[in-house]
Amino acid sequence: MPLTFSSMLRPRWLAPAFCLLAVTVLAKAWHWDERAWLWLQELGVGQSARAASVWLPGYRAVIQAKPLAGLDDDEPSDLTYNPASQTLFTVTGMDPQLVELSLTGEVLRRIALVGFANPEGVAMLADGNMAITDERRRTLSIFKLSPLTLELNALDTAERDLGFADSGNKGFEGIAWDPARQRLLLGKERTPTALFSWSSDGGPSLSGAMQPLPSEQLYMRNLSALSVDPRTGHTLVLSAQSSLLLELDERGEPVSFISLLGGFNGLHRKIPRAEGVAIDEQGTIYMVSEPNLFYVFRKEPAAAKAN
Protein backbone atom coordinates (compact mmCIF):
# COMPACT_ATOMS: atom_id res chain seq x y z
CA MET A 1 0.00 0.00 0.00
CA PRO A 2 1.61 3.30 -1.01
CA LEU A 3 2.27 5.87 1.68
CA THR A 4 0.22 9.02 1.45
CA PHE A 5 0.70 12.34 3.19
CA SER A 6 -2.31 11.69 5.47
CA SER A 7 -1.15 8.19 6.41
CA MET A 8 2.27 9.56 7.32
CA LEU A 9 0.71 12.16 9.61
CA ARG A 10 -1.76 9.83 11.32
CA PRO A 11 0.71 8.24 13.76
CA ARG A 12 1.91 11.70 14.77
CA TRP A 13 -1.63 12.63 15.79
CA LEU A 14 -2.40 9.34 17.49
CA ALA A 15 0.32 9.61 20.12
CA PRO A 16 -0.61 13.12 21.37
CA ALA A 17 -4.30 12.18 21.31
CA PHE A 18 -3.63 9.07 23.37
CA CYS A 19 -1.52 11.08 25.86
CA LEU A 20 -4.26 13.69 26.19
CA LEU A 21 -6.86 10.99 26.82
CA ALA A 22 -4.63 9.31 29.42
CA VAL A 23 -4.03 12.61 31.23
CA THR A 24 -7.76 13.36 31.23
CA VAL A 25 -8.60 9.95 32.67
CA LEU A 26 -5.91 10.29 35.35
CA ALA A 27 -7.01 13.82 36.19
CA LYS A 28 -10.53 12.58 36.90
CA ALA A 29 -9.40 9.46 38.75
CA TRP A 30 -6.93 11.32 40.97
CA HIS A 31 -9.09 14.48 41.26
CA TRP A 32 -6.37 16.72 39.81
CA ASP A 33 -9.06 19.14 38.64
CA GLU A 34 -10.08 19.83 42.24
CA ARG A 35 -6.53 19.98 43.60
CA ALA A 36 -5.20 22.29 40.87
CA TRP A 37 -7.50 25.13 41.85
CA LEU A 38 -6.87 24.65 45.56
CA TRP A 39 -3.11 24.51 44.96
CA LEU A 40 -3.22 27.81 43.05
CA GLN A 41 -5.10 29.44 45.92
CA GLU A 42 -2.67 27.95 48.42
CA LEU A 43 0.27 29.56 46.58
CA GLY A 44 -1.23 32.98 47.27
CA VAL A 45 -1.27 32.52 51.07
CA GLY A 46 1.41 34.73 52.65
CA GLN A 47 3.71 33.72 55.50
CA SER A 48 1.77 35.65 58.16
CA ALA A 49 -1.49 34.02 57.06
CA ARG A 50 0.18 30.61 57.14
CA ALA A 51 1.37 31.27 60.69
CA ALA A 52 -2.19 32.12 61.73
CA SER A 53 -3.64 28.96 60.17
CA VAL A 54 -3.49 25.20 60.68
CA TRP A 55 -1.44 24.97 57.46
CA LEU A 56 -2.03 21.38 56.43
CA PRO A 57 0.94 20.96 54.02
CA GLY A 58 3.22 20.82 57.07
CA TYR A 59 1.54 17.67 58.45
CA ARG A 60 2.76 14.09 58.12
CA ALA A 61 1.13 10.78 59.06
CA VAL A 62 2.65 9.34 62.25
CA ILE A 63 0.09 6.55 62.77
CA GLN A 64 -1.55 5.08 59.70
CA ALA A 65 -4.01 2.30 58.88
CA LYS A 66 -4.10 1.07 62.48
CA PRO A 67 -7.06 -1.35 62.87
CA LEU A 68 -9.63 -0.36 65.48
CA ALA A 69 -9.95 -3.56 67.50
CA GLY A 70 -13.40 -5.10 67.43
CA LEU A 71 -14.86 -2.63 64.92
CA ASP A 72 -14.12 -4.71 61.83
CA ASP A 73 -17.70 -4.73 60.52
CA ASP A 74 -19.07 -1.62 62.22
CA GLU A 75 -17.93 1.10 59.76
CA PRO A 76 -16.93 4.05 62.00
CA SER A 77 -18.15 7.44 60.84
CA ASP A 78 -17.05 10.89 61.97
CA LEU A 79 -14.76 11.69 64.88
CA THR A 80 -14.71 14.27 67.67
CA TYR A 81 -12.21 15.22 70.37
CA ASN A 82 -13.21 15.67 74.02
CA PRO A 83 -10.73 18.03 75.74
CA ALA A 84 -12.09 17.13 79.21
CA SER A 85 -11.14 13.45 78.89
CA GLN A 86 -8.52 13.89 76.16
CA THR A 87 -10.15 11.07 74.23
CA LEU A 88 -11.91 10.69 70.89
CA PHE A 89 -15.42 9.54 70.00
CA THR A 90 -16.72 7.99 66.79
CA VAL A 91 -20.12 6.58 65.81
CA THR A 92 -20.84 3.34 63.95
CA GLY A 93 -23.67 2.83 61.51
CA MET A 94 -23.97 -0.93 61.05
CA ASP A 95 -24.54 -1.52 64.77
CA PRO A 96 -25.40 1.95 66.13
CA GLN A 97 -22.85 2.76 68.82
CA LEU A 98 -20.87 5.66 70.22
CA VAL A 99 -17.29 4.43 70.68
CA GLU A 100 -14.66 6.14 72.84
CA LEU A 101 -11.06 5.89 71.61
CA SER A 102 -7.69 6.77 73.05
CA LEU A 103 -5.48 9.22 71.14
CA THR A 104 -3.57 6.24 69.79
CA GLY A 105 -6.63 4.40 68.53
CA GLU A 106 -7.41 1.98 71.36
CA VAL A 107 -11.10 1.22 71.98
CA LEU A 108 -11.94 2.35 75.54
CA ARG A 109 -15.74 2.21 75.74
CA ARG A 110 -18.81 1.31 73.68
CA ILE A 111 -22.09 3.13 74.25
CA ALA A 112 -25.26 1.69 72.68
CA LEU A 113 -27.28 4.15 70.58
CA VAL A 114 -30.91 3.08 70.97
CA GLY A 115 -33.49 4.35 68.48
CA PHE A 116 -30.92 5.38 65.87
CA ALA A 117 -31.02 4.09 62.29
CA ASN A 118 -27.78 5.42 60.80
CA PRO A 119 -25.70 7.70 63.06
CA GLU A 120 -23.16 9.51 60.86
CA GLY A 121 -22.06 12.65 62.71
CA VAL A 122 -20.81 13.31 66.25
CA ALA A 123 -19.57 16.46 67.98
CA MET A 124 -18.47 17.20 71.55
CA LEU A 125 -20.08 20.42 72.77
CA ALA A 126 -19.67 22.24 76.11
CA ASP A 127 -20.12 20.88 79.64
CA GLY A 128 -20.32 17.21 78.62
CA ASN A 129 -22.99 17.68 75.95
CA MET A 130 -22.70 15.67 72.77
CA ALA A 131 -24.52 16.07 69.44
CA ILE A 132 -25.25 13.12 67.13
CA THR A 133 -26.82 13.24 63.67
CA ASP A 134 -28.80 10.37 62.15
CA GLU A 135 -28.49 10.60 58.37
CA ARG A 136 -31.33 8.26 57.48
CA ARG A 137 -33.80 9.83 59.93
CA ARG A 138 -32.48 13.37 59.19
CA THR A 139 -32.32 14.24 62.89
CA LEU A 140 -29.98 15.96 65.35
CA SER A 141 -29.96 14.87 69.01
CA ILE A 142 -28.04 16.37 71.94
CA PHE A 143 -27.24 14.27 75.01
CA LYS A 144 -25.47 14.68 78.34
CA LEU A 145 -22.50 12.34 78.36
CA SER A 146 -20.76 11.19 81.53
CA PRO A 147 -17.80 8.84 82.13
CA LEU A 148 -20.33 6.18 83.25
CA THR A 149 -22.74 6.44 80.29
CA LEU A 150 -23.35 3.06 78.66
CA GLU A 151 -26.49 3.82 76.61
CA LEU A 152 -28.06 6.81 74.86
CA ASN A 153 -31.68 6.67 73.72
CA ALA A 154 -33.05 8.91 70.98
CA LEU A 155 -36.36 9.07 72.87
CA ASP A 156 -34.69 10.69 75.89
CA THR A 157 -34.01 13.98 74.08
CA ALA A 158 -35.82 16.34 71.75
CA GLU A 159 -34.78 15.52 68.18
CA ARG A 160 -34.36 18.34 65.65
CA ASP A 161 -35.46 17.78 62.07
CA LEU A 162 -32.63 18.70 59.69
CA GLY A 163 -34.89 18.85 56.63
CA PHE A 164 -34.02 17.70 53.09
CA ALA A 165 -36.64 14.94 53.23
CA ASP A 166 -35.63 13.61 49.81
CA SER A 167 -31.89 13.40 50.57
CA GLY A 168 -31.92 9.65 51.33
CA ASN A 169 -28.37 8.52 52.03
CA LYS A 170 -26.94 11.90 51.00
CA GLY A 171 -27.87 13.81 54.13
CA PHE A 172 -25.92 15.32 57.02
CA GLU A 173 -22.64 13.56 57.78
CA GLY A 174 -20.49 16.37 59.19
CA ILE A 175 -21.03 18.20 62.47
CA ALA A 176 -18.67 20.26 64.64
CA TRP A 177 -18.89 22.63 67.60
CA ASP A 178 -17.48 26.16 67.06
CA PRO A 179 -17.15 27.63 70.58
CA ALA A 180 -15.67 30.96 69.48
CA ARG A 181 -18.72 31.75 67.32
CA GLN A 182 -21.20 29.89 69.52
CA ARG A 183 -22.58 27.71 66.78
CA LEU A 184 -22.84 24.19 65.43
CA LEU A 185 -21.49 23.60 61.94
CA LEU A 186 -23.27 20.97 59.87
CA GLY A 187 -22.23 19.52 56.52
CA LYS A 188 -24.54 17.89 53.97
CA GLU A 189 -22.82 15.06 52.13
CA ARG A 190 -24.08 15.55 48.56
CA THR A 191 -26.80 16.93 46.29
CA PRO A 192 -25.92 19.53 47.31
CA THR A 193 -22.61 19.39 49.18
CA ALA A 194 -23.15 22.30 51.53
CA LEU A 195 -22.37 23.85 54.93
CA PHE A 196 -24.85 25.18 57.50
CA SER A 197 -24.67 26.79 60.94
CA TRP A 198 -27.00 26.69 63.95
CA SER A 199 -26.63 29.06 66.89
CA SER A 200 -25.81 27.22 70.12
CA ASP A 201 -24.21 27.88 73.49
CA GLY A 202 -22.92 24.31 73.58
CA GLY A 203 -25.87 23.05 75.62
CA PRO A 204 -29.01 21.13 74.73
CA SER A 205 -30.79 24.21 73.34
CA LEU A 206 -30.42 25.66 69.84
CA SER A 207 -31.40 29.19 68.82
CA GLY A 208 -33.32 30.14 65.70
CA ALA A 209 -33.10 28.02 62.59
CA MET A 210 -30.29 26.35 60.70
CA GLN A 211 -28.66 28.83 58.30
CA PRO A 212 -26.81 28.09 55.03
CA LEU A 213 -23.14 29.11 54.78
CA PRO A 214 -21.15 29.89 51.60
CA SER A 215 -20.12 26.52 50.15
CA GLU A 216 -19.10 27.37 46.59
CA GLN A 217 -15.38 26.94 47.25
CA LEU A 218 -15.40 23.47 48.76
CA TYR A 219 -14.31 21.83 45.46
CA MET A 220 -15.25 18.42 46.83
CA ARG A 221 -17.24 15.50 45.45
CA ASN A 222 -18.77 14.83 48.85
CA LEU A 223 -18.48 16.03 52.44
CA SER A 224 -17.69 13.37 55.05
CA ALA A 225 -16.81 15.23 58.26
CA LEU A 226 -16.04 18.58 59.92
CA SER A 227 -13.84 19.75 62.78
CA VAL A 228 -12.99 23.19 64.19
CA ASP A 229 -9.44 24.01 65.26
CA PRO A 230 -9.67 25.44 68.82
CA ARG A 231 -6.53 27.56 68.27
CA THR A 232 -7.38 29.38 65.04
CA GLY A 233 -11.13 28.84 64.70
CA HIS A 234 -10.56 27.50 61.19
CA THR A 235 -12.67 24.61 59.91
CA LEU A 236 -11.35 21.30 58.61
CA VAL A 237 -13.55 19.72 55.92
CA LEU A 238 -13.00 16.08 54.96
CA SER A 239 -14.05 14.41 51.71
CA ALA A 240 -13.81 10.64 51.27
CA GLN A 241 -14.60 10.67 47.56
CA SER A 242 -12.08 13.42 46.81
CA SER A 243 -9.46 11.96 49.20
CA LEU A 244 -8.96 15.48 50.51
CA LEU A 245 -8.74 17.41 53.77
CA LEU A 246 -9.39 21.14 53.35
CA GLU A 247 -8.84 24.06 55.74
CA LEU A 248 -11.28 27.00 55.59
CA ASP A 249 -10.73 30.34 57.32
CA GLU A 250 -13.34 32.25 59.33
CA ARG A 251 -14.86 33.61 56.09
CA GLY A 252 -15.16 30.16 54.57
CA GLU A 253 -12.26 30.74 52.17
CA PRO A 254 -9.84 27.86 51.40
CA VAL A 255 -6.45 28.27 53.09
CA SER A 256 -4.66 24.94 52.70
CA PHE A 257 -5.24 21.27 51.93
CA ILE A 258 -3.62 17.84 51.91
CA SER A 259 -4.22 14.84 49.69
CA LEU A 260 -5.08 11.53 51.31
CA LEU A 261 -3.52 9.51 48.50
CA GLY A 262 -0.52 7.26 49.01
CA GLY A 263 2.81 9.06 48.65
CA PHE A 264 1.54 12.35 50.03
CA ASN A 265 2.10 13.73 53.55
CA GLY A 266 3.85 10.58 54.69
CA LEU A 267 1.05 8.19 53.71
CA HIS A 268 2.24 4.82 52.45
CA ARG A 269 -1.13 4.06 50.86
CA LYS A 270 -4.33 5.91 50.10
CA ILE A 271 -6.75 6.23 53.01
CA PRO A 272 -9.54 3.91 51.74
CA ARG A 273 -12.56 5.97 52.76
CA ALA A 274 -11.88 8.76 55.23
CA GLU A 275 -15.08 9.31 57.23
CA GLY A 276 -14.04 11.27 60.33
CA VAL A 277 -11.60 14.00 61.38
CA ALA A 278 -10.81 15.72 64.68
CA ILE A 279 -8.15 18.15 65.88
CA ASP A 280 -6.99 18.73 69.47
CA GLU A 281 -5.65 21.80 71.28
CA GLN A 282 -2.08 20.87 70.30
CA GLY A 283 -2.97 20.81 66.59
CA THR A 284 -2.71 17.02 66.23
CA ILE A 285 -5.14 15.71 63.60
CA TYR A 286 -6.92 12.35 63.93
CA MET A 287 -8.87 10.45 61.26
CA VAL A 288 -10.95 7.30 60.96
CA SER A 289 -11.59 5.45 57.73
CA GLU A 290 -13.89 2.64 56.74
CA PRO A 291 -13.72 -0.24 57.30
CA ASN A 292 -11.99 0.23 60.70
CA LEU A 293 -8.75 2.19 60.29
CA PHE A 294 -7.19 4.91 62.47
CA TYR A 295 -4.73 7.67 61.48
CA VAL A 296 -2.81 10.44 63.24
CA PHE A 297 -1.14 13.45 61.58
CA ARG A 298 1.29 15.83 63.27
CA LYS A 299 3.05 18.90 62.02
CA GLU A 300 6.71 18.32 61.26
CA PRO A 301 9.11 20.24 63.55
CA ALA A 302 10.44 22.37 60.68
CA ALA A 303 6.91 23.31 59.58
CA ALA A 304 5.83 24.03 63.17
CA LYS A 305 8.88 26.25 63.70
CA ALA A 306 8.19 28.12 60.46
CA ASN A 307 4.69 28.86 61.70
Side-chain angles (χ1 to χ4, degrees):
M1 179 178 178
L3 289 176
T4 64
F5 182 72
S6 60
S7 65
M8 292 175 64
L9 283 180
R10 194 175 298 123
R12 299 179 184 179
W13 285 105
L14 283 175
F18 178 79
C19 290
L20 180 60
L21 176 62
V23 169
T24 301
V25 171
L26 284 173
K28 289 296 183 182
W30 292 77
H31 312 305
W32 290 348
D33 50 340
E34 299 156 357
R35 287 167 176 76
W37 182 245
L38 292 171
W39 181 72
L40 288 173
Q41 289 189 305
E42 197 174 74
L43 287 179
V45 179
Q47 191 58 45
S48 60
R50 295 184 183 192
S53 71
V54 179
W55 197 247
L56 294 172
Y59 279 79
R60 292 294 180 271
V62 295
I63 297 177
Q64 49 187 304
K66 178 179 179 177
L68 294 169
L71 300 184
D72 306 50
D73 302 318
D74 292 324
E75 297 185 358
S77 295
D78 210 357
L79 196 64
T80 189
Y81 171 72
N82 182 7
S85 61
Q86 295 189 334
T87 58
L88 302 161
F89 287 88
T90 185
V91 288
T92 64
M94 297 298 290
D95 177 18
Q97 297 178 78
L98 176 67
V99 182
E100 186 173 13
L101 306 171
S102 74
L103 300 185
T104 55
E106 306 298 328
V107 174
L108 303 176
R109 176 172 46 151
R110 296 168 180 258
I111 300 169
L113 295 178
V114 180
F116 284 82
N118 186 28
E120 285 284 350
V122 59
M124 199 71 214
L125 311 184
D127 301 321
N129 291 294
M130 176 168 282
I132 298 176
T133 60
D134 190 317
E135 184 178 29
R136 192 171 302 154
R137 297 172 65 236
R138 307 182 309 279
T139 57
L140 166 66
S141 303
I142 299 177
F143 301 92
K144 194 75 170 181
L145 186 71
S146 81
L148 301 179
T149 301
L150 295 177
E151 179 181 290
L152 296 173
N153 194 316
L155 297 178
D156 293 338
T157 184
E159 294 182 317
R160 281 82 172 177
D161 187 348
L162 295 174
F164 295 93
D166 59 348
S167 61
N169 199 37
K170 303 173 185 177
F172 286 86
E173 289 208 356
I175 183 170
W177 163 235
D178 184 353
R181 296 173 182 82
Q182 294 285 285
R183 63 180 182 174
L184 282 178
L185 294 179
L186 296 112
K188 190 174 181 298
E189 182 187 8
R190 282 185 294 152
T191 322
T193 298
L195 292 172
F196 298 83
S197 69
W198 206 332
S199 295
S200 165
D201 61 359
S205 300
L206 297 172
S207 302
M210 188 170 62
Q211 300 296 324
L213 294 174
S215 307
E216 296 81 11
Q217 299 198 64
L218 289 178
Y219 305 112
M220 291 178 163
R221 301 191 177 195
N222 82 321
L223 190 155
S224 301
L226 299 169
S227 188
V228 175
D229 177 25
R231 306 162 305 158
T232 64
H234 288 190
T235 303
L236 300 181
V237 186
L238 181 66
S239 172
Q241 291 187 8
S242 295
S243 295
L244 192 73
L245 180 65
L246 175 65
E247 176 189 4
L248 303 178
D249 66 14
E250 61 277 3
R251 299 181 304 277
E253 301 282 343
V255 178
S256 70
F257 76 98
I258 57 173
S259 172
L260 306 180
L261 300 174
F264 292 91
N265 297 87
L267 287 169
H268 302 320
R269 295 180 180 85
K270 173 187 175 183
I271 298 181
R273 186 172 179 83
E275 290 287 341
V277 64
I279 184 169
D280 66 18
E281 63 268 29
Q282 306 302 320
T284 301
I285 295 174
Y286 308 89
M287 285 188 201
V288 289
S289 168
E290 293 181 357
N292 67 326
L293 302 177
F294 181 77
Y295 297 78
V296 178
F297 292 80
R298 289 198 182 95
K299 187 163 284 187
E300 291 184 314
K305 186 176 181 181
N307 274 10

